[in-house]
């Protein structure tokens, strides 16, 4: 029994798992899910639907779904020319007129029209609805100037339209 080999005992190693990478992955997953949940939330957009306007004078015709007293149209032409009118062209609230750019021109005109609409409706929250119609002869700078005036005067409801009626084309040619 002397020549028997000795039993080799294996050393038991201390098993230790490095969790540093797992912690990093966990934080990345937490951040990922927080961001995706935030992006998945529905965003609310204010929807401005037109009011119903019933006019007994025109036998109850609903015009554009909007009170035409609130509509102002701005026609842009070459050489910094602006023609503006309120209401509808076939029945304007006031005659179309030429105005200039700047605080004593179009800005003053828009502020006056806002006040007229608020006096007419009796609601200080109501504003005018502006239709901007740049002609093919007008330049991009004039359109930017008018959009600046919309921001300065606080007009949030406006549209840029490139369809001119024949009457509007004649109006630009006359003045």
């Amino acid at each position: 029994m002397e020549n028997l080999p000795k039993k080799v005992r294996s050393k038991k190693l201390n098993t230790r798992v490095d969790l540093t990478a797992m912690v990093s992955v966990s934080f990345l997953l937490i951040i990922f899910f927080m961001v995706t949940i935030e992006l998945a939330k529905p965003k609310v957009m204010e929807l401005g639907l037109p009011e119903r306007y019933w006019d007994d004078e025109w036998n109850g015709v609903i015009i554009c779904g909007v009170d035409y007293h609130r509509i102002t149209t701005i026609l842009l032409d070459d050489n910094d020319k602006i023609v503006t009118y309120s209401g509808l062209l076939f029945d304007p609230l006031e005659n179309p007129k030429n105005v200039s750019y700047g605080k004593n021109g179009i800005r003053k005109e828009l502020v006056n029209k806002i006040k007229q609409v608020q006096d007419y409706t009796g609601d200080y929250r109501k504003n005018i609805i502006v239709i901007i119609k740049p002609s093919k002869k007008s330049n991009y700078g004039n359109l930017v100037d008018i959009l600046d005036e919309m921001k300065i005067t606080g007009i949030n409801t406006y549209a840029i339209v490139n369809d001119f009626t024949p009457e509007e084309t004649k109006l630009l040619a006359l003045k």
Side-chain angles (χ1 to χ4, degrees):
M1 287 222 163
E2 279 177 31
N3 291 340
L4 288 175
K6 290 187 179 181
K7 287 186 183 178
V8 178
R9 296 223 176 202
S10 62
K11 272 188 165 183
K12 289 194 177 182
L13 297 176
N14 192 2
T15 57
R16 206 166 169 195
V17 179
D18 186 15
L19 294 177
T20 306
M22 184 65 89
V23 170
S24 298
V25 169
S26 300
F27 278 117
L28 285 173
L29 284 173
I30 290 170
I31 291 171
F32 171 76
F33 285 116
M34 287 172 57
V35 168
T36 55
I37 288 171
E38 184 63 32
L39 293 176
K41 288 181 182 177
K43 305 292 183 212
V44 177
M45 184 174 74
E46 187 176 324
L47 180 63
L49 296 174
E51 298 174 11
R52 297 185 129 207
Y53 177 66
W54 189 268
D55 194 344
D56 292 328
E57 180 181 331
W58 290 346
N59 298 324
V61 176
I62 296 176
I63 301 174
C64 300
V66 176
D67 185 354
Y68 72 97
H69 286 87
R70 292 179 59 196
I71 298 174
T72 298
T73 303
I74 299 174
L75 306 174
L76 304 177
D77 205 11
D78 62 344
N79 298 327
D80 297 338
K81 181 177 175 183
I82 303 175
V83 178
T84 182
Y85 62 90
S86 294
L88 304 172
L89 189 56
F90 65 86
D91 186 26
L93 298 174
E94 57 188 40
N95 290 329
K97 59 182 164 182
N98 286 332
V99 292
S100 61
Y101 288 93
K103 66 178 182 178
N104 292 325
I106 188 68
R107 189 178 310 162
K108 185 176 180 183
E109 187 71 23
L110 291 172
V111 169
N112 288 340
K113 291 191 189 288
I114 291 170
K115 182 160 177 24
Q116 288 173 1
V117 165
Q118 290 171 347
D119 290 344
Y120 171 75
T121 61
D123 190 354
Y124 71 92
R125 294 172 294 179
K126 296 221 177 184
N127 210 332
I128 61 175
I129 300 167
V130 178
I131 301 171
I132 303 167
K133 293 189 174 187
S135 71
K136 292 180 181 177
K137 299 176 192 174
S138 67
N139 61 36
Y140 183 72
N142 290 346
L143 180 61
V144 171
D145 291 341
I146 289 298
L147 293 176
D148 287 343
E149 294 297 337
M150 296 297 116
K151 182 70 174 169
I152 291 168
T153 55
I155 298 171
N156 295 325
T157 308
Y158 59 87
I160 301 171
V161 181
N162 63 358
D163 294 335
F164 273 79
T165 63
E167 294 82 14
E168 290 170 335
T169 306
K170 290 177 189 174
L171 184 65
L172 282 178
L174 289 177
K175 301 226 173 199

